[in-house]
Amino acid sequence: MHRIEDYALIGDEQTAALIGTDGSVDWLCLPRFDSGACFARLLGDENNGHWRIAPVGADRCTRRAYRPDTLVLDTVWETDEGTVMVTDLMPQRDRAPDLVRIVQGLSGEVTVHSTLRLRFDYGSAVPWVRREDGHRVAVAGPDSVWLRSEPEVHTWGEELGTHSQFTVREGEQVAFVLTWHPSHEPRPPLVDPYTSLGHSVTDWRAWAARCRYRGPHRDAVVRSLITLKALTYAPTGGIVAAPTTSLPEEPGGVRNWDYRFCWLRDSTLTLNALLAAGYKEEAEAWRNWLLRAVAGDPADLQIMYGVAGERRLPELELPWLAGFDGARPVRVGNDAVNQLQLDVYGEVMDSLALARRSGLPPKPDIWALQTVLMDFLRTAWRQPDEGLWEVRGGRRHFVHSKVMVWVAADRAVRTLEEHPELEGDLEGWRQLREEVHREVCEKGYDPERNTFTQSYGSRELDAALLLIPRVGFLPPDDPRVTGTIDAVRKELGQGGLLRRYSSQARTVDGLPGEEGTFIACTFWLADALHLTGRTEEARELFERLLGLANDVGLLAEEYDPVQGRLLGNFPQAFSHIGLVNTALALYGDQQAG
């Protein structure tokens, strides 16, 4: 059974595939990140769809790596007969998505086998396969996939799969191209696999060269930025939290969620990472996605949207999939879309303020939208909510949510102070800012332990409290800030990393079982240590976090320090955003946040 860290990512900025160390593509949704998967072995078994290319009789590869500063993956097997390399990529698409796999002989003479099992609709639909013009064509309902090889190799059907076997010697190459299109449309134009490879390498390296960061661990920062770029839905600029669903937060557990959507909570941190690293175009595209998504009645603001801004993301369970390592249920869609999370108003206000300060081209009606959001918050901020962790155990007065309401009021006030030509209720927003601040310090702070708490009247802690100095709610040298950092580190620490909240807080999240340490939260701890003058400790922690990435530099959502394995959806944008921002804070000329 694969571990999460056994996978590498390729993609075309509209969808993405996961490829294991055995050379098998085990996850691919076509044509979008949130479409049905045609390879779902990741959450089931081989009969749920996969595509493996490897030497006959070989298991795990000898080594693999991305070509420097690209999303092109080279996987190498060294066998008794010789050495062979498979190069995987998804070219940026013109009309149709293509998956290109090029087999190259490096030495000796190696027999290679390809097994393709297409299973549309998350592994549930076996297509009808026919031959046409040198292709294998698979059709089921709305989906059609064409497979060809250059040069043509011996190919046959067996056990509801398409098999190919051939021999490559040093210097020889065989390329496979798999192309999807709607079954009611004609086949799209063919792409040349070798030209696509050359263009992909050139384009990715040109993009990576734009990174302004020149400090230590630049390779890790660039890899994280490339990953964020790969998780971007290019037509709209939206960035998915992860390209996967239902990778468990606990081995064999039920904490399995669909992350193939765009969360507003990520907006400020994402904008900061992109702008500080020099990617203004991507930051502007994300800002514009954000504006389109949140347009409308502020009372209807959602915490997440589809990649094109879709509002309805109904949660379903797929009983025919056994789950990753037996973790069930497998879910698609996400019912958390219906939750009230007041912090997202602060994150939207903070993002738009950051965009304005950073000189992104102005858009009409941005300030009008912000004033409407503030009018809503004036009364709504007193409500309990589900908080940024999307708990399913009932609403509470979460301290982080109230702090982010303060952020919203603060950014509105600062914007008016800096731009007096704009119209707004300056005094009213100042009063709101002061009132929220006073209440949080009275009701969300435990003077006995010198720490802020997860919610009003609670003794539980929350790693999101580490953001208090980062957002400016209190200065870093305030004793309540340093006390909170020390308390969070002590009570939520595990193996030098951080959990999101206390393991005893199951009444809060309403779910059985445990979860791993949360990687983004541990980056927040490094940021907080740095802000409070403990930079050497912060850098040591950052080094530890870099060591959690897999062999190709990818991070999941969580990490199990006991078993030493990644947990949760993968790769996780939130984790890679944390890596970029913390590197910029510790070594760059920008502060985190």
Side-chain angles (χ1 to χ4, degrees), residues 348-393:
V348 169
M349 290 293 293
D350 199 15
S351 295
L352 297 179
L354 174 61
R356 183 179 283 109
R357 291 197 310 271
S358 301
L360 290 185
K363 300 276 286 187
D365 302 325
I366 289 180
W367 181 244
L369 167 66
Q370 291 180 271
T371 58
V372 171
L373 293 177
M374 290 307 303
D375 288 342
F376 174 77
L377 275 184
R378 197 186 300 270
T379 55
W381 79 272
R382 297 185 181 280
Q383 300 179 51
D385 72 340
E386 278 92 359
L388 88 161
W389 302 130
E390 299 164 12
V391 298
R392 301 193 178 198

Tab-separated table of all heavy atoms in Angstrom, residues 348-393:
chain	number	residue	atom	x	y	z
A	348	VAL	N	-11.019	38.632	3.868
A	348	VAL	CA	-11.316	39.336	2.623
A	348	VAL	C	-10.917	40.808	2.735
A	348	VAL	O	-10.263	41.363	1.842
A	348	VAL	CB	-12.811	39.205	2.263
A	348	VAL	CG1	-13.176	40.146	1.115
A	348	VAL	CG2	-13.135	37.762	1.882
A	349	MET	N	-11.267	41.437	3.841
A	349	MET	CA	-10.898	42.850	4.031
A	349	MET	C	-9.378	43.010	4.051
A	349	MET	O	-8.828	43.960	3.464
A	349	MET	CB	-11.507	43.366	5.333
A	349	MET	CG	-13.022	43.526	5.303
A	349	MET	SD	-13.580	44.843	4.182
A	349	MET	CE	-12.935	46.297	5.024
A	350	ASP	N	-8.686	42.099	4.725
A	350	ASP	CA	-7.228	42.164	4.799
A	350	ASP	C	-6.608	41.954	3.416
A	350	ASP	O	-5.650	42.638	3.032
A	350	ASP	CB	-6.721	41.108	5.783
A	350	ASP	CG	-5.306	41.399	6.273
A	350	ASP	OD1	-4.818	42.524	6.101
A	350	ASP	OD2	-4.691	40.477	6.851
A	351	SER	N	-7.159	41.013	2.660
A	351	SER	CA	-6.634	40.742	1.322
A	351	SER	C	-6.775	41.957	0.415
A	351	SER	O	-5.841	42.323	-0.314
A	351	SER	CB	-7.374	39.555	0.689
A	351	SER	OG	-7.123	38.376	1.402
A	352	LEU	N	-7.944	42.588	0.448
A	352	LEU	CA	-8.169	43.734	-0.427
A	352	LEU	C	-7.330	44.937	0.010
A	352	LEU	O	-6.869	45.717	-0.827
A	352	LEU	CB	-9.657	44.070	-0.461
A	352	LEU	CG	-10.545	42.945	-1.042
A	352	LEU	CD1	-12.008	43.356	-1.020
A	352	LEU	CD2	-10.107	42.581	-2.454
A	353	ALA	N	-7.100	45.062	1.319
A	353	ALA	CA	-6.213	46.129	1.797
A	353	ALA	C	-4.774	45.867	1.344
A	353	ALA	O	-4.064	46.791	0.915
A	353	ALA	CB	-6.286	46.228	3.318
A	354	LEU	N	-4.350	44.609	1.442
A	354	LEU	CA	-3.001	44.251	0.992
A	354	LEU	C	-2.848	44.494	-0.502
A	354	LEU	O	-1.829	45.018	-0.961
A	354	LEU	CB	-2.718	42.780	1.325
A	354	LEU	CG	-1.409	42.177	0.793
A	354	LEU	CD1	-0.205	42.917	1.353
A	354	LEU	CD2	-1.331	40.684	1.141
A	355	ALA	N	-3.864	44.119	-1.270
A	355	ALA	CA	-3.814	44.324	-2.717
A	355	ALA	C	-3.697	45.811	-3.048
A	355	ALA	O	-2.941	46.215	-3.933
A	355	ALA	CB	-5.057	43.730	-3.373
A	356	ARG	N	-4.430	46.639	-2.300
A	356	ARG	CA	-4.376	48.086	-2.548
A	356	ARG	C	-2.991	48.634	-2.196
A	356	ARG	O	-2.404	49.403	-2.956
A	356	ARG	CB	-5.467	48.783	-1.723
A	356	ARG	CG	-5.560	50.284	-1.966
A	356	ARG	CD	-6.682	50.923	-1.146
A	356	ARG	NE	-7.996	50.668	-1.724
A	356	ARG	CZ	-8.901	49.847	-1.187
A	356	ARG	NH1	-8.629	49.183	-0.075
A	356	ARG	NH2	-10.073	49.676	-1.765
A	357	ARG	N	-2.457	48.231	-1.047
A	357	ARG	CA	-1.133	48.719	-0.630
A	357	ARG	C	-0.037	48.260	-1.589
A	357	ARG	O	0.970	48.945	-1.765
A	357	ARG	CB	-0.791	48.212	0.770
A	357	ARG	CG	-1.604	48.794	1.885
A	357	ARG	CD	-0.941	48.577	3.231
A	357	ARG	NE	-0.537	47.192	3.450
A	357	ARG	CZ	-1.309	46.265	3.982
A	357	ARG	NH1	-2.557	46.567	4.332
A	357	ARG	NH2	-0.861	45.035	4.164
A	358	SER	N	-0.227	47.077	-2.194
A	358	SER	CA	0.809	46.506	-3.054
A	358	SER	C	0.760	47.044	-4.470
A	358	SER	O	1.585	46.664	-5.296
A	358	SER	CB	0.683	44.981	-3.076
A	358	SER	OG	0.807	44.457	-1.771
A	359	GLY	N	-0.225	47.888	-4.757
A	359	GLY	CA	-0.282	48.515	-6.066
A	359	GLY	C	-0.901	47.659	-7.150
A	359	GLY	O	-0.681	47.924	-8.343
A	360	LEU	N	-1.709	46.647	-6.769
A	360	LEU	CA	-2.420	45.906	-7.808
A	360	LEU	C	-3.398	46.844	-8.500
A	360	LEU	O	-3.975	47.730	-7.860
A	360	LEU	CB	-3.177	44.724	-7.194
A	360	LEU	CG	-2.336	43.560	-6.669
A	360	LEU	CD1	-3.243	42.426	-6.209
A	360	LEU	CD2	-1.354	43.052	-7.708
A	361	PRO	N	-3.589	46.679	-9.789
A	361	PRO	CA	-4.483	47.596	-10.513
A	361	PRO	C	-5.855	47.659	-9.858
A	361	PRO	O	-6.443	46.618	-9.529
A	361	PRO	CB	-4.566	46.975	-11.912
A	361	PRO	CG	-3.300	46.182	-12.048
A	361	PRO	CD	-2.995	45.666	-10.680
A	362	PRO	N	-6.368	48.868	-9.620
A	362	PRO	CA	-7.668	48.986	-8.949
A	362	PRO	C	-8.793	48.444	-9.823
A	362	PRO	O	-8.707	48.439	-11.048
A	362	PRO	CB	-7.809	50.492	-8.727
A	362	PRO	CG	-6.941	51.121	-9.773
A	362	PRO	CD	-5.793	50.174	-9.975
A	363	LYS	N	-9.829	47.981	-9.160
A	363	LYS	CA	-11.032	47.513	-9.846
A	363	LYS	C	-12.209	48.341	-9.343
A	363	LYS	O	-12.262	48.718	-8.165
A	363	LYS	CB	-11.281	46.024	-9.553
A	363	LYS	CG	-10.161	45.110	-10.001
A	363	LYS	CD	-10.265	44.738	-11.459
A	363	LYS	CE	-11.361	43.748	-11.707
A	363	LYS	NZ	-11.358	43.263	-13.105
A	364	PRO	N	-13.155	48.631	-10.230
A	364	PRO	CA	-14.315	49.406	-9.785
A	364	PRO	C	-15.107	48.650	-8.725
A	364	PRO	O	-15.174	47.423	-8.733
A	364	PRO	CB	-15.136	49.593	-11.074
A	364	PRO	CG	-14.681	48.490	-11.985
A	364	PRO	CD	-13.241	48.258	-11.657
A	365	ASP	N	-15.651	49.400	-7.795
A	365	ASP	CA	-16.581	48.885	-6.789
A	365	ASP	C	-15.918	48.078	-5.676
A	365	ASP	O	-16.623	47.525	-4.824
A	365	ASP	CB	-17.688	48.034	-7.427
A	365	ASP	CG	-18.499	48.806	-8.465
A	365	ASP	OD1	-18.697	50.021	-8.249
A	365	ASP	OD2	-18.897	48.200	-9.468
A	366	ILE	N	-14.565	47.995	-5.639
A	366	ILE	CA	-13.942	47.248	-4.539
A	366	ILE	C	-14.284	47.895	-3.200
A	366	ILE	O	-14.682	47.208	-2.251
A	366	ILE	CB	-12.418	47.165	-4.723
A	366	ILE	CG1	-12.061	46.237	-5.877
A	366	ILE	CG2	-11.746	46.662	-3.443
A	366	ILE	CD1	-10.561	46.103	-6.106
A	367	TRP	N	-14.141	49.217	-3.131
A	367	TRP	CA	-14.412	49.880	-1.853
A	367	TRP	C	-15.900	49.794	-1.496
A	367	TRP	O	-16.254	49.623	-0.315
A	367	TRP	CB	-13.950	51.344	-1.890
A	367	TRP	CG	-14.184	52.049	-0.601
A	367	TRP	CD1	-15.009	53.109	-0.374
A	367	TRP	CD2	-13.603	51.727	0.661
A	367	TRP	NE1	-14.984	53.472	0.939
A	367	TRP	CE2	-14.114	52.640	1.608
A	367	TRP	CE3	-12.696	50.761	1.094
A	367	TRP	CZ2	-13.752	52.610	2.960
A	367	TRP	CZ3	-12.325	50.726	2.435
A	367	TRP	CH2	-12.851	51.643	3.351
A	368	ALA	N	-16.766	49.870	-2.488
A	368	ALA	CA	-18.200	49.717	-2.212
A	368	ALA	C	-18.484	48.336	-1.612
A	368	ALA	O	-19.284	48.200	-0.672
A	368	ALA	CB	-19.000	49.915	-3.493
A	369	LEU	N	-17.818	47.305	-2.151
A	369	LEU	CA	-17.967	45.963	-1.591
A	369	LEU	C	-17.480	45.925	-0.149
A	369	LEU	O	-18.141	45.355	0.731
A	369	LEU	CB	-17.182	44.964	-2.439
A	369	LEU	CG	-16.979	43.568	-1.839
A	369	LEU	CD1	-18.314	42.840	-1.721
A	369	LEU	CD2	-16.001	42.758	-2.678
A	370	GLN	N	-16.348	46.561	0.119
A	370	GLN	CA	-15.797	46.533	1.469
A	370	GLN	C	-16.717	47.236	2.467
A	370	GLN	O	-16.886	46.770	3.603
A	370	GLN	CB	-14.408	47.171	1.481
A	370	GLN	CG	-13.358	46.328	0.753
A	370	GLN	CD	-11.991	46.980	0.772
A	370	GLN	OE1	-11.665	47.753	-0.112
A	370	GLN	NE2	-11.201	46.674	1.784
A	371	THR	N	-17.315	48.343	2.061
A	371	THR	CA	-18.208	49.045	2.982
A	371	THR	C	-19.459	48.222	3.279
A	371	THR	O	-19.974	48.237	4.407
A	371	THR	CB	-18.600	50.419	2.416
A	371	THR	OG1	-19.238	50.254	1.144
A	371	THR	CG2	-17.383	51.309	2.256
A	372	VAL	N	-19.936	47.495	2.287
A	372	VAL	CA	-21.099	46.625	2.512
A	372	VAL	C	-20.737	45.503	3.484
A	372	VAL	O	-21.532	45.144	4.377
A	372	VAL	CB	-21.614	46.056	1.172
A	372	VAL	CG1	-22.662	44.984	1.415
A	372	VAL	CG2	-22.202	47.166	0.314
A	373	LEU	N	-19.549	44.931	3.339
A	373	LEU	CA	-19.102	43.898	4.277
A	373	LEU	C	-19.031	44.460	5.695
A	373	LEU	O	-19.422	43.792	6.662
A	373	LEU	CB	-17.735	43.353	3.858
A	373	LEU	CG	-17.668	42.561	2.558
A	373	LEU	CD1	-16.223	42.147	2.258
A	373	LEU	CD2	-18.560	41.320	2.607
A	374	MET	N	-18.538	45.671	5.833
A	374	MET	CA	-18.436	46.274	7.164
A	374	MET	C	-19.810	46.552	7.755
A	374	MET	O	-20.020	46.383	8.965
A	374	MET	CB	-17.613	47.560	7.092
A	374	MET	CG	-16.132	47.332	6.811
A	374	MET	SD	-15.361	46.169	7.967
A	374	MET	CE	-15.728	46.974	9.529
A	375	ASP	N	-20.740	46.980	6.922
A	375	ASP	CA	-22.106	47.203	7.425
A	375	ASP	C	-22.685	45.906	7.985
A	375	ASP	O	-23.381	45.914	9.012
A	375	ASP	CB	-22.998	47.739	6.305
A	375	ASP	CG	-22.679	49.180	5.942
A	375	ASP	OD1	-22.016	49.867	6.755
A	375	ASP	OD2	-23.078	49.614	4.838
A	376	PHE	N	-22.417	44.796	7.304
A	376	PHE	CA	-22.903	43.499	7.788
A	376	PHE	C	-22.238	43.118	9.105
A	376	PHE	O	-22.896	42.672	10.047
A	376	PHE	CB	-22.637	42.427	6.735
A	376	PHE	CG	-22.960	41.038	7.188
A	376	PHE	CD1	-24.271	40.598	7.249
A	376	PHE	CD2	-21.945	40.160	7.571
A	376	PHE	CE1	-24.578	39.306	7.679
A	376	PHE	CE2	-22.235	38.884	7.996
A	376	PHE	CZ	-23.552	38.453	8.044
A	377	LEU	N	-20.929	43.326	9.193
A	377	LEU	CA	-20.200	42.919	10.394
A	377	LEU	C	-20.588	43.724	11.621
A	377	LEU	O	-20.422	43.262	12.752
A	377	LEU	CB	-18.694	43.057	10.160
A	377	LEU	CG	-17.969	41.899	9.498
A	377	LEU	CD1	-16.470	42.181	9.451
A	377	LEU	CD2	-18.225	40.583	10.228
A	378	ARG	N	-21.099	44.912	11.426
A	378	ARG	CA	-21.408	45.792	12.553
A	378	ARG	C	-22.310	45.105	13.582
A	378	ARG	O	-22.182	45.316	14.794
A	378	ARG	CB	-22.061	47.086	12.046
A	378	ARG	CG	-22.052	48.217	13.058
A	378	ARG	CD	-22.845	49.399	12.508
A	378	ARG	NE	-22.322	49.911	11.278
A	378	ARG	CZ	-21.394	50.872	11.198
A	378	ARG	NH1	-20.902	51.398	12.301
A	378	ARG	NH2	-20.978	51.299	10.025
A	379	THR	N	-23.218	44.280	13.088
A	379	THR	CA	-24.092	43.529	14.010
A	379	THR	C	-23.765	42.038	14.018
A	379	THR	O	-23.868	41.380	15.054
A	379	THR	CB	-25.569	43.724	13.617
A	379	THR	OG1	-25.742	43.342	12.244
A	379	THR	CG2	-25.992	45.169	13.799
A	380	ALA	N	-23.357	41.495	12.882
A	380	ALA	CA	-23.151	40.041	12.791
A	380	ALA	C	-21.989	39.556	13.649
A	380	ALA	O	-21.942	38.378	14.016
A	380	ALA	CB	-22.914	39.643	11.327
A	381	TRP	N	-21.055	40.420	13.993
A	381	TRP	CA	-19.852	39.974	14.706
A	381	TRP	C	-20.173	39.403	16.083
A	381	TRP	O	-19.378	38.634	16.637
A	381	TRP	CB	-18.855	41.124	14.828
A	381	TRP	CG	-19.149	42.130	15.912
A	381	TRP	CD1	-19.921	43.232	15.825
A	381	TRP	CD2	-18.638	42.109	17.250
A	381	TRP	NE1	-19.947	43.927	17.016
A	381	TRP	CE2	-19.157	43.249	17.910
A	381	TRP	CE3	-17.813	41.256	17.960
A	381	TRP	CZ2	-18.868	43.552	19.237
A	381	TRP	CZ3	-17.511	41.550	19.287
A	381	TRP	CH2	-18.034	42.685	19.922
A	382	ARG	N	-21.323	39.709	16.619
A	382	ARG	CA	-21.685	39.214	17.951
A	382	ARG	C	-22.145	37.754	17.925
A	382	ARG	O	-22.287	37.129	18.973
A	382	ARG	CB	-22.789	40.082	18.551
A	382	ARG	CG	-22.360	41.528	18.762
A	382	ARG	CD	-23.427	42.339	19.473
A	382	ARG	NE	-23.017	43.712	19.652
A	382	ARG	CZ	-22.185	44.148	20.610
A	382	ARG	NH1	-21.693	43.291	21.481
A	382	ARG	NH2	-21.877	45.422	20.694
A	383	GLN	N	-22.369	37.197	16.737
A	383	GLN	CA	-22.857	35.823	16.644
A	383	GLN	C	-21.736	34.815	16.923
A	383	GLN	O	-20.569	35.067	16.607
A	383	GLN	CB	-23.400	35.537	15.245
A	383	GLN	CG	-24.548	36.413	14.797
A	383	GLN	CD	-24.983	36.055	13.392
A	383	GLN	OE1	-25.232	34.880	13.102
A	383	GLN	NE2	-25.072	37.032	12.517
A	384	PRO	N	-22.086	33.657	17.478
A	384	PRO	CA	-21.128	32.547	17.479
A	384	PRO	C	-21.001	31.981	16.073
A	384	PRO	O	-21.877	32.193	15.230
A	384	PRO	CB	-21.758	31.533	18.441
A	384	PRO	CG	-23.230	31.806	18.344
A	384	PRO	CD	-23.359	33.292	18.112
A	385	ASP	N	-19.915	31.277	15.799
A	385	ASP	CA	-19.733	30.707	14.467
A	385	ASP	C	-18.999	29.375	14.576
A	385	ASP	O	-18.715	28.890	15.675
A	385	ASP	CB	-18.987	31.685	13.553
A	385	ASP	CG	-17.508	31.843	13.900
A	385	ASP	OD1	-17.115	31.515	15.043
A	385	ASP	OD2	-16.732	32.280	13.038
A	386	GLU	N	-18.726	28.760	13.416
A	386	GLU	CA	-18.028	27.470	13.408
A	386	GLU	C	-16.501	27.602	13.394
A	386	GLU	O	-15.803	26.601	13.531
A	386	GLU	CB	-18.465	26.625	12.201
A	386	GLU	CG	-19.767	25.872	12.416
A	386	GLU	CD	-21.003	26.628	11.952
A	386	GLU	OE1	-20.871	27.770	11.471
A	386	GLU	OE2	-22.126	26.069	12.072
A	387	GLY	N	-15.992	28.825	13.193
A	387	GLY	CA	-14.548	29.035	13.261
A	387	GLY	C	-13.805	28.536	12.037
A	387	GLY	O	-14.335	27.825	11.187
A	388	LEU	N	-12.523	28.891	11.964
A	388	LEU	CA	-11.767	28.577	10.747
A	388	LEU	C	-11.503	27.100	10.569
A	388	LEU	O	-11.203	26.647	9.456
A	388	LEU	CB	-10.444	29.344	10.712
A	388	LEU	CG	-9.207	28.738	11.375
A	388	LEU	CD1	-7.945	29.403	10.842
A	388	LEU	CD2	-9.277	28.833	12.877
A	389	TRP	N	-11.609	26.293	11.634
A	389	TRP	CA	-11.370	24.848	11.488
A	389	TRP	C	-12.626	24.095	11.097
A	389	TRP	O	-12.629	22.863	11.052
A	389	TRP	CB	-10.786	24.271	12.770
A	389	TRP	CG	-9.501	24.928	13.204
A	389	TRP	CD1	-9.204	25.417	14.440
A	389	TRP	CD2	-8.327	25.158	12.404
A	389	TRP	NE1	-7.934	25.936	14.472
A	389	TRP	CE2	-7.370	25.792	13.239
A	389	TRP	CE3	-7.991	24.903	11.075
A	389	TRP	CZ2	-6.115	26.170	12.776
A	389	TRP	CZ3	-6.740	25.285	10.614
A	389	TRP	CH2	-5.816	25.902	11.446
A	390	GLU	N	-13.730	24.843	10.841
A	390	GLU	CA	-14.940	24.233	10.285
A	390	GLU	C	-15.483	23.115	11.154
A	390	GLU	O	-15.827	22.037	10.682
A	390	GLU	CB	-14.666	23.740	8.852
A	390	GLU	CG	-14.270	24.875	7.942
A	390	GLU	CD	-13.632	24.428	6.636
A	390	GLU	OE1	-13.693	23.235	6.317
A	390	GLU	OE2	-13.071	25.295	5.937
A	391	VAL	N	-15.534	23.377	12.447
A	391	VAL	CA	-15.962	22.349	13.389
A	391	VAL	C	-17.414	21.961	13.126
A	391	VAL	O	-18.211	22.766	12.643
A	391	VAL	CB	-15.797	22.832	14.844
A	391	VAL	CG1	-14.329	23.119	15.143
A	391	VAL	CG2	-16.656	24.056	15.138
A	392	ARG	N	-17.727	20.735	13.462
A	392	ARG	CA	-19.082	20.226	13.266
A	392	ARG	C	-19.721	19.864	14.602
A	392	ARG	O	-20.587	19.009	14.684
A	392	ARG	CB	-19.048	19.025	12.307
A	392	ARG	CG	-18.454	19.406	10.941
A	392	ARG	CD	-18.676	18.379	9.860
A	392	ARG	NE	-18.118	18.855	8.576
A	392	ARG	CZ	-18.440	18.365	7.391
A	392	ARG	NH1	-19.319	17.382	7.292
A	392	ARG	NH2	-17.904	18.846	6.286
A	393	GLY	N	-19.279	20.545	15.642
A	393	GLY	CA	-19.813	20.300	16.982
A	393	GLY	C	-20.600	21.465	17.541
A	393	GLY	O	-20.810	21.563	18.746
